Amino acid sequence: MNMQPANNIFVASLLVALTACASGAGHAQPAKTPTPPAPQNVGGGSVVPVRATQLPASAQQGALVIGNTHMAATVEYAGKTLRVSPSGRFVFAIGRDATGAATVKVKQPGTGIIEHRIMVTPRDWPIEKIDGVPPATVNPPPEIAARIAREQSSVAAVRTRDDPREDFAQAFIWPVQGRISGRFGNQRVYNGTPKSPHSGMDIAAANGTPVKAPAAGIVTFASPSLYLTGGTVVIDHGAGVSSNFLHLSRIDVKVGDRVEQGQVFAAVGATGRATGPHLHWGMNWFDVRIDPLLVLELAK
């Protein structure tokens, strides 16, 4: 099935922009897709056309990758069968610590499996020191640690959702405007204690600043008072891609609501473990963390 021309143009722009470095480096050349075999006869002599699979030649650690292939193809990545849309679009993510090459296996109707290798571009991960955090939030007592585990498990559970929606294919916009005060992937040291890498992007903004949906989606989690993250909202963009927004002072939506791109759904705050008002915007492809800044680069 042929895609509409507008979709072709949009997907092509996504694939070229994906390889742009957040520091402003030039674009990588498109991948050299292996030449597919000729159309084959299947099911009583009918001919199944083969469609070239589109993927970038390289992608950075923490990148969201959007590809395109035959609508009836089977696509596998990292041991997972990916959802392929009626337009042939599919999506996955490159982990923060991924190295070497990411292999995507594509089997179109009437063909064998073709492997596509995407070279993973490494990034520099600085160490970020944050002092002044309440000691109990850095090394919480057992009862608080148990609460944190329960809450984080609840958030992780909604990230298993795999809807057929393609809201992730929109050109994402900034949820708030402001200085980037914390970058994805940086190693964080709280009060001298090393912790996990930063899972998203912090944007400095005044308390009460309206927060807009960077892309459309369904609200799958909303709570005003998690211990670590305070006011927390998760918006699912389809096919395992989701955004999470933390430390909110106000939440205007509930689970099950659909939000459109640009819709105000919350307000910036300093709830949970926060030293000042800001918006933490994180993204995931299932349990793989994504750098929102690289997703914003796709819109350029």
Side-chain angles (χ1 to χ4, degrees), residues 76-89:
E76 293 185 2
Y77 169 71
K80 183 177 181 63
T81 300
L82 307 186
R83 179 181 293 280
V84 180
S85 76
S87 66
R89 184 179 290 132

Side-chain angles (χ1 to χ4, degrees), residues 104-272:
V104 181
K105 298 179 180 180
V106 180
K107 185 183 186 305
Q108 298 192 25
T111 75
I113 295 173
I114 298 176
E115 292 192 354
H116 305 262
R117 293 170 61 83
I118 302 171
M119 297 309 300
V120 177
T121 305
R123 300 170 65 183
D124 179 36
W125 304 115
I127 296 176
E128 185 177 359
K129 296 183 179 180
I130 302 176
D131 296 320
V133 179
T137 63
V138 178
N139 296 296
E143 63 274 14
I144 296 298
R147 174 187 170 183
I148 292 171
R150 288 194 304 271
E151 293 175 345
Q152 295 305 301
S153 177
S154 297
V155 175
V158 304
R159 294 187 180 127
T160 63
R161 186 164 171 158
D162 186 9
D163 287 4
R165 291 174 294 104
E166 295 183 66
D167 296 320
F168 64 82
Q170 287 185 299
F172 278 60
I173 63 173
W174 288 75
V176 298
Q177 293 295 324
R179 175 180 58 86
I180 298 176
S181 56
R183 293 184 177 272
F184 170 87
N186 288 6
Q187 177 69 50
R188 289 198 152 183
V189 179
Y190 290 102
N191 298 352
T193 301
K195 293 294 181 178
S196 299
H198 193 211
S199 61
M201 178 172 68
D202 289 343
I203 306 172
N207 193 67
T209 301
V211 180
K212 300 178 181 180
I218 303 295
V219 177
T220 55
F221 187 92
S223 174
S225 56
L226 299 191
Y227 185 82
L228 287 182
T229 58
T232 302
V233 169
V234 178
I235 297 177
D236 183 276
H237 305 297
V241 180
S242 64
S243 290
N244 58 84
F245 306 89
L246 316 181
H247 310 302
L248 303 169
S249 63
R250 189 187 77 242
I251 297 174
D252 302 329
V253 291
K254 64 183 184 301
V255 171
D257 286 350
R258 177 169 175 84
V259 295
E260 300 301 332
Q261 185 177 59
Q263 177 181 334
V264 173
F265 68 90
V268 170
T271 55

Side-chain angles (χ1 to χ4, degrees), residues 36-71:
Q40 297 187 17
N41 293 334
V42 294
S46 60
V47 176
V48 179
V50 176
R51 181 177 181 179
T53 296
Q54 297 175 311
L55 281 167
S58 64
Q60 296 183 66
Q61 294 169 324
L64 183 69
V65 180
I66 299 176
N68 201 274
T69 189
H70 191 285
M71 62 176 293

Side-chain angles (χ1 to χ4, degrees), residues 1 10 23 52 69 72 77 84 97 100 126 187 199 208 218 273 288 297:
M1 183 181 74
F10 180 65
S23 62
T69 189
Y77 169 71
V84 180
D97 300 318
Q187 177 69 50
S199 61
I218 303 295
R273 186 173 70 180
V288 179
E297 290 288 324

